[in-house]
Structure formats: structure tokens, C-alpha cells
Amino acid sequence: MRLLERIRKEWFMIGIVLAIAGAKLEPSIGVNGGPLKPEITVSYIAVATIFFNSGLSLNTEELTSALVHIKLHLFIQIFTLAFFPAAIWLFLQLLSITPINEWLLKGLQTVGCMPPPVSSAVILTKAVGGNEAAAIFNSAFGSFLVSKHGVICLLLL
């Protein structure tokens, strides 16, 4: 009975491990153009499903109360879109004097200017019992801002 309780509690991590193991055993299933069609299912259906399910689980009071936490939203957006890219820039300055491939550094620079993926931000916040409404708002708002910020960030770096 104790094992079953543990599995119920850790279902998300178990699912991630199983998905990784399945991808390792049969990678052709998840390639572009493969049977799962990740270019469609991941890009559109999965993200829409996550937001839809997250929206269903929230009541309007939770969402409106999350919207008024302006200091929280400012902190998250500044950390994600200013502090983290600046920290990555400093890290890249250190790495630039090493023999690491230039394209790897450019890739790190690009990733450093992107917000966290919407799906993982919402799912992981929900899994640990965090403020799901704030996570949904900040994920959506951060993705909206990154269209302009990402270009500025890459130009600055």
C-alpha cells in the first residue's frame, strides 16, 4: 500500500522518466514527421491543453487575486527577462576565453534570452503546490513580452 501511495504522489516524475526511457528505446516515434507529429502536437495541442486544463482548475477569484500581485509579477519578469540574461552574459564572457565552440556560445546566448517554457512553468508550479494562477499569468505575459525583448536581448548581448 505504501508503494502505491508513493507512485500516486510522484506520478509526474515517474511519467517523465518513462517518457525519456521510451524516447531512448524508440526515438523514431517522436521525430518531425513521425507518428506523433510533434510539430503539431507539441507546438499547438499540448500547450493549448495545458492552458485549458489549468484554466479549468482555477476559479475566477484565484485568477483575479493573482493579477493584483504586481510586485510578484515584476519580480518574476525582471528576473526572467533581465537578471537571468545578464547572468548568462557574464557567464558567456568567462566562457569566451575558453576553446568552447563559438556556435555553442551563441546557442547559450539565445536560450538565455528566452522565458521558461509555458508548459513546464505551469505544470511544475502545480506539482509543487505553488501559485498556479500567477504561473499561468507570468508564463503567458512573459511569452508575450519576449517577442520584443528577445530581439533586444540578443542585440544587447
Side-chain angles (χ1 to χ4, degrees):
M1 189 61 120
R2 191 170 166 104
L3 176 65
L4 193 56
E5 289 174 17
R6 184 71 175 186
I7 290 172
R8 283 187 184 141
K9 183 179 178 187
E10 302 293 341
W11 67 269
F12 187 70
M13 290 305 292
I14 293 169
I16 289 174
V17 169
L18 290 175
I20 292 170
K24 177 73 174 165
L25 293 173
E26 193 58 53
S28 63
I29 292 175
V31 299
N32 280 347
L36 289 181
K37 302 279 188 219
E39 62 275 8
I40 297 169
T41 56
V42 173
S43 299
Y44 302 108
I45 298 171
V47 173
T49 302
I50 288 166
F51 273 118
F52 182 71
N53 285 338
S54 298
L56 287 178
S57 67
L58 292 175
N59 59 32
T60 51
E61 291 83 24
E62 283 182 61
L63 193 54
T64 52
S65 71
L67 292 177
V68 298
H69 291 99
I70 297 191
K71 288 181 182 178
L72 171 69
H73 303 312
L74 277 173
F75 173 77
I76 291 171
Q77 296 305 324
I78 289 170
F79 184 85
T80 304
L81 301 176
F83 175 77
F84 190 74
I88 291 294
W89 180 81
L90 286 172
F91 184 59
L92 289 172
Q93 297 309 305
L94 292 171
L95 290 178
S96 67
I97 60 174
T98 66
I100 293 178
N101 186 309
E102 173 189 356
W103 288 103
L104 179 60
L105 296 177
K106 288 182 181 189
L108 286 171
Q109 175 183 342
T110 303
V111 171
C113 292
M114 297 170 65
V118 172
S119 56
S120 63
V122 174
I123 289 172
L124 293 174
T125 300
K126 186 174 186 173
V128 298
N131 188 341
E132 190 180 352
I136 292 170
F137 173 80
N138 281 295
S139 292
F141 190 61
S143 294
F144 173 74
L145 288 177
V146 83
S147 61
K148 301 228 183 281
H149 170 267
V151 172
I152 294 168
C153 178
L154 286 172
L155 290 175
L156 289 174
L157 292 177

